[in-house]
Amino acid sequence: MTLRRAETTIAARVAKLDAMTSVSEADVREALSHVIDPELNRAITDLDMVREIRIDGGRVAVAVDLTVAGCPLQGSIKADVIAKVSQVPGVESVDVELGVMSAEQRQALTEKLQGAQRQVPFAQPDSLTKVYAITSGKGGVGKSSMTANLAVALARRGLKVGVVDADIYGFSIPRMLGVSEQATVIDHMIIPPEAHGVKVISIGMFVPDGQAVVWRGPMLHRALQQFLADVYWGDLDALLLDLPPGTGDVAISIAQLLPNSEIIVVTTPQIAAAEVAERAGSIASQTDQKVIGVIENMSYLPQPDGSRLELFGSGGGSMVADRLTDQLGYGVPLLAQIPLDITLREGSDSGNPIAAFEGESEAASALDRVAASLAERKRSLAGRSLGVKPI
């Protein structure tokens, strides 16, 4: 081989090697498509957060615009960008420059995610989210703890779950689910915090600790509308609403805003509580909602010898189910009888619902069975108008 031919061969090999190890913007952008914004659960490339990519040999600089200034998760985003881009062949170093979206960028983002006209997504004809309104006739029957535990149990089964704390005056869901951080607001869009795999929104995230909410009906309706339309929920399999007791303004607003929602009634075995709970379920006959079942909470106290101590009497849950069956003209089952369990109460106080952990308590098992029955109810468009008209 002549010297000139050898030089040509070596040059070709070097050029080929350079081509193999050179970094392209397309490769970097592909790597960035796997960086997920922790709050929006979408790739930062889809959210138009990547402002600029600069490449100098093996050195890559990525400029990322955060949705809000002082984003608490900016460290996580930066670390993920470095990790993903570093895996691109030929990259030697990664520098991340963090900025903040302009007002115009944030507006474009909210319109991209929610549309220019904000609507309640769960009320749209094409929505496949199952919506459950958890209600009771009176307070103190454990409606909120049932909501929190069912939501967590559904999330553990792999469903995407959200909870709206619709009990505006007596909100307690944030504590029960262990949510301490505030919701993030981007332009007019609210990003709900997440706990135990459940997205949560509550008026408790927007008022000072210990302050009472003193609102009349129109304000309550507007708050619920914002929780449903202005919150970015993403694609949920199930949405649970913790309603205040009774058949007041909130129950009526939910029927108007979410006419496809289904009702679960919570009562105790006590006849006095059951009679009031029956009224909460009978609202379905006037709102065209459907009652899908009754949960009897505090049914009994398990004894060491295996017997049951019925502190609040017996038969309340069955009575409510039977009477609603007669009133509404279809079967309303008793979904479960949840026993008194100190770990259930402790979990609600500490923000660690018993449904979040493997356990063998009767209460945890009963709640899991209810969640299993709800999870098996498939999302369907059957019976819903899709707005299609003949030409």
Side-chain angles (χ1 to χ4, degrees):
M1 180 183 294
T2 65
L3 180 59
R4 177 166 295 182
R5 178 182 294 182
E7 290 175 345
T8 302
T9 302
I10 293 173
R13 290 178 179 176
V14 170
K16 184 178 181 180
L17 183 62
D18 287 342
M20 293 174 61
T21 59
S22 63
V23 181
S24 71
E25 181 174 333
D27 292 336
V28 174
R29 191 167 291 276
E30 166 62 22
L32 291 171
S33 69
H34 299 284
V35 177
I36 307 299
D37 182 282
E39 292 183 311
L40 297 172
N41 292 315
R42 294 275 293 272
I44 62 173
T45 49
D46 291 342
L47 300 173
D48 299 322
M49 294 172 64
V50 179
R51 173 167 30 93
E52 185 182 11
I53 298 173
R54 299 191 303 274
I55 301 172
D56 182 11
R59 296 188 295 274
V60 178
V62 181
V64 177
D65 285 337
L66 302 173
T67 53
V68 292
C71 174
L73 298 172
Q74 59 183 301
S76 173
I77 295 174
K78 181 176 181 179
D80 205 14
V81 168
I82 293 174
K84 293 295 191 298
V85 176
S86 295
Q87 295 174 9
V88 176
V91 171
E92 299 170 358
S93 65
V94 181
D95 182 42
V96 180
E97 303 169 5
L98 297 179
V100 181
M101 283 186 172
S102 65
E104 291 76 14
Q105 286 177 298
R106 285 193 294 271
Q107 182 178 355
L109 176 62
T110 57
E111 290 182 3
K112 182 176 186 177
L113 294 176
Q114 295 185 306
Q117 183 66 38
R118 291 190 294 275
Q119 299 174 320
V120 177
F122 313 111
Q124 302 310 304
D126 60 347
S127 173
L128 296 176
T129 302
K130 302 297 293 185
V131 182
Y132 301 111
I134 317 297
T135 187
S136 66
K138 60 193 302 183
V141 300
K143 167 184 53 60
S144 297
S145 60
M146 294 298 100
T147 303
N149 278 280
L150 287 176
V152 172
L154 287 169
R156 288 194 65 191
R157 289 179 171 272
L159 275 67
K160 298 176 182 177
V161 185
V163 172
V164 173
D165 191 351
D167 194 348
I168 304 296
Y169 297 138
F171 54 86
S172 57
I173 288 294
R175 169 173 288 281
M176 291 187 175
L177 285 174
V179 177
S180 56
E181 63 269 28
Q182 300 298 307
T184 301
V185 179
I186 304 173
D187 199 18
H188 296 291
M189 182 174 63
I190 304 170
I191 310 301
E194 187 172 316
H196 303 290
V198 177
K199 295 180 179 179
V200 186
I201 197 70
S202 171
I203 195 65
M205 300 171 184
F206 302 94
V207 298
D209 188 33
Q211 179 176 311
V213 178
V214 187
W215 288 348
R216 292 185 183 273
M219 288 290 287
L220 294 174
H221 184 87
R222 177 58 185 144
L224 292 172
Q225 192 173 38
Q226 281 193 278
F227 285 171
L228 295 170
D230 292 354
V231 172
Y232 178 67
W233 292 102
D235 182 26
L236 295 183
D237 295 299
L239 178 71
L240 280 66
L241 302 109
D242 182 27
L243 270 59
T247 56
D249 290 321
V250 171
I252 296 170
S253 291
I254 291 300
Q256 293 174 340
L257 294 169
L258 296 167
N260 60 324
S261 58
E262 298 174 307
I263 297 173
I264 297 176
V265 179
V266 179
T267 185
T268 63
Q270 189 174 358
I271 300 302
E275 288 178 342
V276 183
E278 178 189 344
R279 298 170 205 156
S282 65
I283 192 177
S285 63
Q286 302 175 55
T287 60
D288 294 327
Q289 294 168 285
K290 183 178 181 179
V291 178
I292 63 169
V294 177
I295 295 177
E296 183 184 87
N297 191 27
M298 308 181 201
S299 295
Y300 57 88
L301 180 64
Q303 299 297 292
D305 62 359
S307 63
R308 298 179 174 185
L309 179 60
E310 296 174 334
L311 293 174
F312 299 105
S314 63
S318 296
M319 185 191 81
V320 174
D322 291 343
R323 290 191 178 181
L324 288 176
T325 294
D326 292 338
Q327 285 187 41
L328 302 175
Y330 54 82
V332 177
L334 177 62
L335 297 174
Q337 292 177 296
I338 312 295
L340 286 160
D341 189 333
I342 192 171
T343 58
L344 178 60
R345 192 274 302 166
E346 290 174 341
S348 296
D349 286 345
S350 65
N352 294 294
I354 60 172
F357 307 99
E358 294 288 346
E360 298 181 356
S361 72
E362 292 184 43
S365 298
L367 286 163
D368 189 60
R369 287 193 294 272
V370 177
S373 67
L374 296 179
E376 290 172 358
R377 303 179 76 248
K378 301 298 184 183
R379 304 193 296 179
S380 173
L381 293 178
R384 299 190 191 179
S385 172
L386 298 180
V388 177
K389 298 180 180 179
I391 299 176

